[in-house]
Structures are given as C-alpha cells and as structure tokens.
Amino acid sequence: MFVFTIRHQVNYPDPVCGVKGSTVLLPCSFTPLKSLYDNRRKVWIKIKIIRVIWCQNHSTCFRSSPYVYDSESNNNNPRYRYLGDKKGKCTLQISDLQKEDDATFRFRMEANNVRGHFTDQSGVRVSVVDQMKIRSSRDDGEFKRGEAVTLNCSAAICTIHQLEVTWFRDGHALSESGPALHLSNLTAKDCGNYTCGLKNNRTLSVPYSLHVEVLSSEVFSADKQKNELDPLLIRVTLHPRYDTHRDVVASERRHPCLIEV
C-alpha cells in the first residue's frame, strides 16, 4: 500500500485565442508527487518525473490519444515547442496556428512509479479565428476635418496583446502599434484604407475605409506630399456644403476624401 505525501497539481492559463498563422503561448506549471510511502516495505520511495506529454482533445493523454508533444518522441511536430522541463514548468508554444489547433489541450506527467502518473483533465481551451477585424468608435467612416476617431483591431473573442498589432494605411506600415489606433485632428493625410494584423503574420484584416470631408486644396496638398499627382480628369464633389461641381485634376488612384459624382 502506498501513501501520497502531496497531491498532483497542474496550473493551466485562462482560455487562449489566436489568429490563424500566429504564435500563441500556453503558460503552464505543475507540482508532481515528491515521494510515496510503501507500507509493505516500510520505506519511502522518491518520485521522479521521467516523461511529459501534451495532448489534444483527449481527457487523459493516455495510450491512443493524439499527442502534440511527447518527451520520448523524436518525431514531434515542430509547430509545438515545449518550453518546460520535468520538474515544474510545462509551458507549450504553438506556432503557425491552424484550424486543427482549435481544441482543448491537456498536460500529462509520468513518473518512475505508476502511482506518480497524472493528467489534469481541466486543460486549456485554444480558439482559432481566421482574420482580424477593425471596429471604429463611430458607426460610419465619414468624418469632418478636425474630428477624432479610434480604430480597434480585434479578432472575434480574442484578446490581442498590445505589442503584437501592426497598422497599415493604403498598404504602408504605420509607426503606431497596439490594438487601438487613435487618430485626432483628422486631415486629408488621414484618408485611406486601414488594415491591421499581428506582427510577423501575413494575414491582415478586411480594409476599413476612412473618409475625411476637406477642401480641395487640402486634398491636393496631401497627395502632393505623397508624390501621387498623376494627371487624370474626373468629376467630383468636394464637400457636402457645396452644391456646385467642378472638374479637378486628381490622382489616378482616387483619393478617398473625394466622392465621385
């Protein structure tokens, strides 16, 4: 008969959410049994963890369960990197997140005595979403000069860490980072199609088109600074306050501040 000196324990993180193609971390720690008392032999047996396993969608990580990491295997999928040890740390990193990773992951420890084997069945839930989305602090994308707006980069139920988000305007990276992009005192320079995505991830959000109602002189000044003034005659209305229409020379790539009529 064996007597346990302490209980096994695994500390999983809260549910984790990530965008397809990104990298997520599952911070994890565990407490194994230290020793067992053998009543028959009247001796204490020191317990040592000899094998660690991460499995997917299986309650015990035992026998035929689909392992994503096994310390005894030489054929582990390189997308799953074990950042732990056999003493108390069991963190798992998943790179190039795929739809099949939308599952519950569980950790198992195996010891030099079968009584020291343990799987914490609570596990950690990983959710995978296909694409980021931009949500605006305003319902529409039409703004007047001098107004302000906040664009939020999100992914359904995901919580995005501030340092992981990159912002783009018309395909050009912006210096700002983080899940929220604050634009104040809007001018023609702020017009364009905005996208966001996780750092080092090729998948970007659906574009958000931002329009600022400004005077023609501002539009051309902003375009001139971008060196985009290729001659093209188009008919536009420059501002809803003006009823007259005029012919203007604009960029071949129509500036989003201009509304064609």
Side-chain angles (χ1 to χ4, degrees), residues 134 141-142 151 166-174 181 183 188-196 204-212 226 228 253-257:
I134 295 179
E142 303 290 336
L151 304 181
T166 302
W167 287 90
F168 300 86
R169 181 176 61 234
D170 295 332
H172 301 289
L174 302 177
L181 178 65
L183 301 173
K189 298 177 183 178
D190 298 308
C191 293
N193 292 315
Y194 288 77
T195 52
C196 67
L204 297 178
S205 67
V206 174
Y208 174 87
S209 185
L210 190 149
H211 301 260
V212 182
K226 296 180 182 179
E228 293 178 351
R253 293 173 57 193
R254 191 178 72 236
H255 197 287
C257 283

Side-chain angles (χ1 to χ4, degrees), residues 16 56-57 99-105 124-128:
V16 173
Q56 186 184 65
N57 285 341
K99 269 300 184 182
E100 58 262 31
D101 297 318
D102 195 297
T104 297
F105 289 76
V124 54
R125 183 72 173 89
V126 175
S127 299
V128 181

Side-chain angles (χ1 to χ4, degrees), residues 7-254:
R7 295 180 58 186
H8 304 85
Q9 185 176 356
V10 178
N11 298 311
Y12 292 117
D14 292 332
V16 173
C17 185
V19 180
K20 184 178 178 181
S22 65
T23 297
V24 297
L25 199 66
L26 311 185
C28 172
S29 63
F30 68 96
T31 303
L33 293 178
K34 299 300 183 183
S35 59
L36 293 170
Y37 185 72
D38 187 342
N39 277 334
R40 186 176 57 183
R41 297 168 54 191
K42 305 298 182 183
V43 296
W44 286 93
I45 299 175
K46 186 177 181 180
I47 296 299
K48 181 181 179 181
I49 300 301
I50 59 175
R51 184 185 185 187
V52 289
I53 296 168
W54 274 94
C55 71
Q56 186 184 65
N57 285 341
H58 195 278
S59 60
T60 61
C61 294
F62 187 55
R63 294 182 178 175
S64 60
S65 63
Y67 301 150
V68 298
Y69 175 81
D70 183 352
S71 61
E72 291 189 351
S73 174
N74 294 320
N75 297 310
N76 290 309
N77 188 325
R79 289 201 306 112
Y80 304 97
R81 184 183 176 192
Y82 188 66
L83 303 180
D85 50 38
K86 296 176 182 177
K87 297 180 179 180
K89 185 179 179 181
C90 47
T91 297
L92 182 71
Q93 177 181 284
I94 308 175
S95 59
D96 191 21
L97 205 63
Q98 299 298 313
K99 269 300 184 182
E100 58 262 31
D101 297 318
D102 195 297
T104 297
F105 289 76
R106 294 180 176 89
F107 174 76
R108 176 178 176 82
M109 64 186 90
E110 294 188 354
N112 56 340
N113 186 292
V114 67
R115 298 288 185 178
H117 296 358
F118 179 69
T119 303
D120 188 317
Q121 298 185 16
S122 60
V124 54
R125 183 72 173 89
V126 175
S127 299
V128 181
V129 296
D130 288 323
Q131 195 173 31
M132 312 287 284
K133 292 183 179 180
I134 295 179
R135 301 184 186 278
S136 171
S137 57
R138 285 261 299 270
D139 292 336
D140 57 19
E142 303 290 336
F143 301 91
K144 292 182 173 63
R145 181 180 59 173
E147 291 186 331
V149 64
T150 297
L151 304 181
N152 291 285
C153 188
S154 62
I157 59 174
C158 289
T159 299
I160 305 301
H161 189 273
Q162 183 175 0
L163 299 180
E164 295 179 339
V165 176
T166 302
W167 287 90
F168 300 86
R169 181 176 61 234
D170 295 332
H172 301 289
L174 302 177
S175 59
E176 295 86 347
S177 62
L181 178 65
H182 303 285
L183 301 173
S184 59
N185 194 24
L186 292 171
T187 68
K189 298 177 183 178
D190 298 308
C191 293
N193 292 315
Y194 288 77
T195 52
C196 67
L198 295 183
K199 186 178 180 180
N200 301 323
N201 185 1
R202 296 185 299 271
T203 303
L204 297 178
S205 67
V206 174
Y208 174 87
S209 185
L210 190 149
H211 301 260
V212 182
E213 299 172 355
V214 296
L215 299 175
S216 60
S217 59
E218 293 182 75
V219 174
F220 297 137
S221 176
D223 276 340
K224 188 174 183 180
Q225 291 180 23
K226 296 180 182 179
N227 297 316
E228 293 178 351
L229 279 177
D230 299 323
L232 177 68
L233 189 67
I234 62 174
R235 192 171 181 81
V236 299
T237 179
L238 298 174
H239 198 286
R241 294 180 183 175
Y242 302 107
D243 295 325
T244 58
H245 298 152
R246 65 184 74 174
D247 292 334
V248 297
V249 176
S251 167
E252 187 173 356
R253 293 173 57 193
R254 191 178 72 236

